[in-house]
Every structure is written in C-alpha cells, then in structure tokens.
C-alpha cells in the first residue's frame, strides 16, 4: 500500500512518545530509468493497463518487472509459465540486496491477469476513459517528479488541465462547518480568478466547495478520485464530475474504471492530489481527516503546504492545529486570502496579479463594480451586500475575493472596506451603484 500508514505516507506511522510522528524505513523508490523512453502502443499499451491494474503491483514492482523482462507484454507472456511465480517475485528484488516488492500472492494474480487480459481491458473500453502512461509526453510533469508516480492514469475531460502553469490543491474535511465551506470557496475563488488550476479529491465538503467554485469561475479544475470512473464516489457528485470534465477540467484516477473505492485507495489518491499541485492548502481537518495524509504527502514531495488554523478546541480544525504543531516551519499558516495568494506566488507583494504591471490588472465585472461601489458608500457585511445587490451570497463572496486579491478590499472582523485605489474614492459622496442581473431579471443594487 505504498507505505501509507494511518498518520501519513513514506514512513510516517504511529506517533512517538513525544507526540510527533515516528519515522520508519521508507519504502522502495521508483527508478524512473527502468521505464521505456518511448510511449507504449498497441498490444504493449494494453499490457501496461493489464499489469498495472493487478492488485499488489505498485509503481515500484511495475518498473522492476519491466526492467527485468523488457516490456509489459513480455511480463505477461512470462507469467504463462507454470513456474512463473518465483521468477516474477525474484524480478522485483532490490538490486542492493533488499527484499522483493512483489509477493507470491501478487505474482499469482499477475498470472491470472495474463491468462485473461480481456477482464481488465473490457471496462476500459466500455467506459471510454482516456489512458495516459508514464512514458507518454502527455503525462503531467509535476506528477512525473514525485517518488511514486502511477504508471497508468485513467481520465475523462481535457488532459491539458493536468499540466497548466500553476496548480493549487485545496482539501479538507468531508463535514465542514459553514465557516470552513465559505473559506474554501473564497480561497478557490481567489485561486481561480488568478488563473491557477484547482486540484482536489471530489469528496463531499471542502473538496466539493473548491471544485464548485472553479466550475462557477469557468476555470479548469482537476478531481482525483479514489476508485474507478464507473464506481464514482461519492455518487452525489456525479453531476459535478460531468461539469468538471465539460468545463475544460479533468477527472483522474490511477485505478481501472471498475475499481471499487475502499479505505486503502484514498491515501494512494491523496499522493496524486498533492503531486499534481505546486502547493496544498488544508482548510478544515479533524484529527482523523484524510486531508492530513495529503498534507504529509505534500511535504514528502517537496511541495508547499499551507494550513488554515481555526479556533482552539474546535474539533473541526483539531487536525490542522496538530499538524501545524508537528510540522513546524515546513507548513505555513494561512493568515488571510490575499496573504495566502501572495504566499502561493499568485500575487506580487503589492497585492497585484503576479506578472501584471501597474494598475488593477483586469476590468471589473458588473457584480464587482456594484460591490465596490457599495463598499465605498459604507456597506460592508456580506448580508448587506447580498440584500443591496440582489445577487446570491456565493456571487457576492466571489466578487469580494476578486476585489481582495486585486488589493482593492480588505476584511476585518466580518466587515469589508475599500483599500488601495478604491479607498481613494471613499468620502467623495454617494455614488450610483451599477445594476446586477439576477435570475429574476435586472435589479438595481
């Protein structure tokens, strides 16, 4: 299981007596040099799908089998020998004298898969998912650089979404508070407004809020699922998954389409979430939240980690606080949305979009103009802005986040007020508030 324990990946197992995570020997690393330089095609590509889908054949065993036999098709042919099990096991032995990574049981499973490859290939053909292998140029570059990249990826949607210039993972609990859900939405709105891809796990709660914000902003988002595409979990997010794929994003899995998700598949999924991103943001996480595994993977992979702290003694953020205490300077505290976006490298220190010259950097939308005018006139809470504009709370929060990342708005104690160039307009007397179009027609804000 890739060395993933309850408390995190790659050697993080049970906590030691001092309260920190104990370290054990890390599992074998993937030697990418053992993989072929050319992308597999035809029968060899099918063999990659069959071999990688065998239970017990992880990325390291897969690479060692290919190195020993020359190709995945050769592995499957060798598996037809009655005495193949010992040979397959020996082929995955550590060159430095360590134990084989393939068990006799997994080797027996390889033999069964080789005898009936159609069992593994039929669900792939039926589902219509796209296949990307580690030897393909289309394989996402960030994921290629982690220690345990999956040999085969299955996806729907646009593969280009996996490798855009900037990508940020936003994860958290499946049972968020209303504050946590709103915070995830505001962070996702800011990330999406600045053109970065949002990566998450399609779970209920924080993950869903992050994906939904990206879909609303028409920014590509990547959902990494913990099972196969035909066993999409949770089923409540089927519509969201279709919207992600249709909107230029992607729904991705390392598991064949007919794989049923279970407790063991989700920690593996989490290493892909962090591996596809430049940095991971944890919004809310209890002590046993799987989001902490994603946080641990981010640190192991050398990626950035940012954690929203929350209130003391609040169970919803107990895992965040514990992780911050244990990780020390490796994890950064999220002190505000604008500050986070600056820490992520999406804004320069002056509050402008990174790489954009002087000025705001982009024209305001009608809703942003309406909200900005109301703020200049002294209306500052979300409820007041919703009532005055006639727009939904999500729309108003999205506009506030967009203004905040441009350095035009700051928030304190639940109230927003103008900042930067917008603050210069304050005190000039009342201004006309632009209209905002709602579902019921045009309403003057």
């Amino acid at each position: 299981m890739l060395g993933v324990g309850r408390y995190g990946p790659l050697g993080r197992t049970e906590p030691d007596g001092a309260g920190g995570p104990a370290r054990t020997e890390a599992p074998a690393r993937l030697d990418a040099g053992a993989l072929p330089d050319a992308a597999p095609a035809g029968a060899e590509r099918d063999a990659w799908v069959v071999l990688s889908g065998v239970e017990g054949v992880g990325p390291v065993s897969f690479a060692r089998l290919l190195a020993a036999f020359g190709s995945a098709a050769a592995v499957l042919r060798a598996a037809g020998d009655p005495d193949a099990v010992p040979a397959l096991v020996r082929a995955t032995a550590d060159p430095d004298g360590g134990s084989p990574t393939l068990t006799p049981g997994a080797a027996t499973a390889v033999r069964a898969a080789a005898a009936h490859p159609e069992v593994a290939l039929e669900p792939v053909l039926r589902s219509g998912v796209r296949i990307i292998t580690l030897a393909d140029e289309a394989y996402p570059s960030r994921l290629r650089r982690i220690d345990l990249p999956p040999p085969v990826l299955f996806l729907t949607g646009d593969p280009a979404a996996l490798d855009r210039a900037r990508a940020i993972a936003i994860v958290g609990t499946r049972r968020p508070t209303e504050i946590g859900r709103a915070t995830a939405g505001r962070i996702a709105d800011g990330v999406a407004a600045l053109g970065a891809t949002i990566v998450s796990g399609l779970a209920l709660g924080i993950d869903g809020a992050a994906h939904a914000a990206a879909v609303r902003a028409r920014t590509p988002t990547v959902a990494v699922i913990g099972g196969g595409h035909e066993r999409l979990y949770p089923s409540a997010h089927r519509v969201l998954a279709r919207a992600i794929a249709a909107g230029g994003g992607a729904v991705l899995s390392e598991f064949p389409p007919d794989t049923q998700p279970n407790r063991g598949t989700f920690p593996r999924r989490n290493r892909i979430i962090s591996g596809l991103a430049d940095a991971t943001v944890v919004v809310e996480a209890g002590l046993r939240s799987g989001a902490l595994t994603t946080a641990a993977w981010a640190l192991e992979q050398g990626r950035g980690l940012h954690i929203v702290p929350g209130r003391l003694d609040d169970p919803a953020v107990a895992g965040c606080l514990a992780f911050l205490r244990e990780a020390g300077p490796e994890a950064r505290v999220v002190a505000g949305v604008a500050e986070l976006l600056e820490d992520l490298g999406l804004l320069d220190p002056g509050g402008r979009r990174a790489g954009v010259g002087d000025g705001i950097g982009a024209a305001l939308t009608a809703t942003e103009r309406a909200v900005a005018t109301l703020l200049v006139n002294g209306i500052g809470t979300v409820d007041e802005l919703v009532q005055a504009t006639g727009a939904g709370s999500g729309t108003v929060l999205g506009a506030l986040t967009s203004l905040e990342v441009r350095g035009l708005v700051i928030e304190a104690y639940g109230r927003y007020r103008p900042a930067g160039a917008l603050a210069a307009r304050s005190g000039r007397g009342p201004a006309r508030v632009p209209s905002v179009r709602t579902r019921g027609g045009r309403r003057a804000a």
Side-chain angles (χ1 to χ4, degrees):
M1 242 302 293
L2 298 177
V4 179
R6 172 182 166 189
Y7 290 88
L10 302 182
R12 292 181 187 266
T13 55
E14 298 294 330
D16 60 21
R23 289 283 180 174
T24 60
E25 182 182 355
R29 306 295 203 204
L30 173 60
D31 178 10
L35 298 173
D37 294 329
E44 175 63 9
R45 197 172 188 84
D46 288 347
W48 275 57
V49 173
V50 173
L51 183 59
S52 68
V54 174
E55 181 70 25
V57 178
V60 176
S61 295
F62 183 93
R64 290 181 178 175
L65 286 170
L66 259 64
F69 291 93
S71 69
V75 174
L76 297 184
R77 287 195 298 270
D81 191 302
D83 299 322
V85 169
L88 292 172
V89 172
R90 286 194 303 271
T92 64
D94 191 320
D96 297 327
S99 300
T101 58
L102 193 71
T103 65
T108 301
V110 172
R111 290 201 68 212
H116 299 283
E118 70 281 359
V119 174
L121 294 174
E122 195 278 329
V124 177
L125 295 173
R126 181 178 64 233
S127 64
V129 295
R130 177 165 179 165
I131 298 169
I132 298 179
T133 75
L134 188 54
D136 293 335
E137 289 187 7
Y139 198 92
S141 58
R142 294 182 188 86
L143 194 61
R144 192 189 298 276
R145 294 194 297 268
I146 70 172
D147 284 324
L148 298 166
V152 177
L153 298 173
F154 304 90
L155 80 151
T156 56
D158 188 352
L162 306 178
D163 220 6
R164 297 178 77 222
R166 298 304 307 272
I168 305 299
I170 302 174
V171 297
T173 179
R174 289 174 170 82
R175 300 178 180 85
T177 65
E178 286 303 313
I179 293 175
R181 189 183 298 274
T183 299
R186 289 181 60 203
I187 292 172
D189 285 337
V191 170
L194 294 172
T197 301
I198 293 171
V199 184
S200 198
L202 200 66
L204 298 173
I206 297 300
D207 292 20
H211 287 306
V215 170
R216 288 195 306 269
R218 299 181 181 179
T219 298
T221 179
V222 176
V224 187
I225 57 177
H229 284 76
E230 291 186 342
R231 301 288 187 269
L232 190 74
Y233 179 86
S235 58
H237 276 173
R238 290 188 182 277
V239 173
L240 178 58
R242 288 196 292 269
I244 289 170
V251 180
L252 179 74
S253 178
E254 70 172 309
F255 303 107
D258 59 343
T259 302
Q260 186 71 36
N262 57 60
R263 292 183 62 183
T265 60
F266 288 103
R268 291 180 60 173
R269 178 275 307 265
N270 292 346
R271 90 188 191 283
I272 299 178
I273 294 175
S274 57
L276 285 169
D278 300 307
T280 294
V281 180
V282 182
V283 176
E284 277 187 344
L287 284 173
R288 300 177 63 86
S289 174
L292 301 179
T293 307
T294 310
W297 277 118
L299 293 182
E300 295 284 355
Q301 293 163 350
R303 309 294 167 84
L305 177 62
H306 306 260
I307 298 179
V308 179
R311 300 182 302 275
L312 298 179
D313 302 321
D314 184 351
V317 297
C320 291
L321 294 174
F323 203 101
L324 282 170
R325 181 172 181 269
E326 293 175 4
E330 292 181 272
R332 299 200 65 171
V333 173
V334 175
V337 175
E339 291 82 355
L340 171 63
L341 296 174
E342 183 179 321
D343 290 344
L344 291 171
L346 302 178
L347 290 177
D348 68 18
R352 296 183 296 270
R353 183 191 301 260
V356 175
D358 293 336
I360 294 175
L364 301 180
T365 66
T367 303
E368 290 164 359
R369 288 194 298 272
V371 169
T373 304
L374 289 165
L375 292 170
V376 169
N377 292 332
I379 296 176
T381 69
V382 173
D383 288 343
E384 291 170 343
L385 293 168
V386 168
Q387 182 176 5
T389 60
S393 59
T395 301
V396 169
L397 284 169
L400 286 168
T401 300
S402 181
L403 293 169
E404 191 174 10
V405 301
R406 291 182 171 107
L408 299 175
V409 170
I410 58 175
E411 183 267 340
Y413 304 106
R415 289 192 68 86
Y416 294 83
R417 61 182 177 85
L422 191 60
R425 291 198 55 190
S426 298
R428 295 184 180 179
R432 180 181 179 274
V433 179
S435 298
V436 177
R437 183 174 296 278
T438 64
R439 290 181 181 178
R442 183 174 292 279
R443 171 177 175 173

